[in-house]
Amino acid sequence: PKWAYRYGALLAVSAMAEGCHKQMLPHLQEILTRALPFLQDAHPRVRYSACNAIGQMGIDLAQDFQRKYHSNVIPALLMVIESSHTPRVQEHAFSALVNFISYLPQNLLLLYLSPVAIKVEELFGRALEDLVAKGR
């Protein structure tokens, strides 16, 4: 299936971030421009691997990546968290977000605290309502 090629390519980006981060830095804008749209892919495994790639870049390319691309990455991950109907994709988007903001300079983190906190509260509220409705 064609989704498997997209999935595999994004896993390769994750591996490159881990092992070739110095070589990736000059191409980071192009890589991110190509990777971000996959956060909205029709197939959940592709969205999952896009979250994985962005989360890995958030760790291995820390600070340069965060300073330059916070305005692209954080809203994109929040959109995945909000719009995904696949819990594993949501969880991985949260993980990528945590990886990303862990290395975000404090002055930039302050810009996103409110929207991130609101999103977390909304999702936990929905999860709690679901548990209560199911009697758990």
Side-chain angles (χ1 to χ4, degrees):
K2 291 187 178 193
W3 67 265
Y5 296 119
R6 299 188 305 275
Y7 174 79
L10 289 161
L11 290 180
V13 170
S14 298
M16 287 188 319
E18 197 167 356
C20 306
H21 53 276
K22 289 179 184 173
Q23 292 80 5
M24 284 182 76
L25 283 174
H27 308 285
L28 199 50
Q29 172 77 41
E30 183 179 355
I31 293 166
L32 188 63
T33 299
R34 292 179 186 268
L36 280 177
F38 291 112
L39 289 172
Q40 300 302 317
D41 194 90
H43 200 283
R45 289 186 187 176
V46 175
R47 292 192 308 271
Y48 180 93
S49 63
C51 291
N52 190 69
I54 290 168
Q56 193 64 51
M57 288 189 289
I59 293 170
D60 295 318
L61 305 171
Q63 295 180 4
D64 282 333
F65 185 52
Q66 279 80 348
R67 273 192 221 107
K68 291 179 184 174
Y69 303 110
H70 61 89
S71 64
N72 304 94
V73 172
I74 293 174
L77 289 172
L78 287 173
M79 186 179 293
V80 174
I81 291 166
E82 181 178 336
S83 65
S84 182
H85 300 294
T86 310
R88 282 187 119 161
V89 173
Q90 278 184 323
E91 292 164 8
H92 221 53
F94 261 121
S95 179
L97 184 63
V98 168
N99 289 347
F100 191 86
I101 64 175
S102 293
Y103 295 97
L104 195 63
Q106 186 175 8
N107 63 320
L108 295 176
L109 178 61
L110 291 173
L111 299 172
Y112 299 101
L113 278 181
S114 181
V116 169
I118 289 168
K119 192 59 53 202
V120 169
E121 182 182 14
E122 285 174 12
L123 290 172
F124 279 122
R126 278 191 239 148
L128 185 59
E129 287 173 8
D130 287 348
L131 289 173
V132 169
K134 293 176 184 174
R136 293 184 182 172

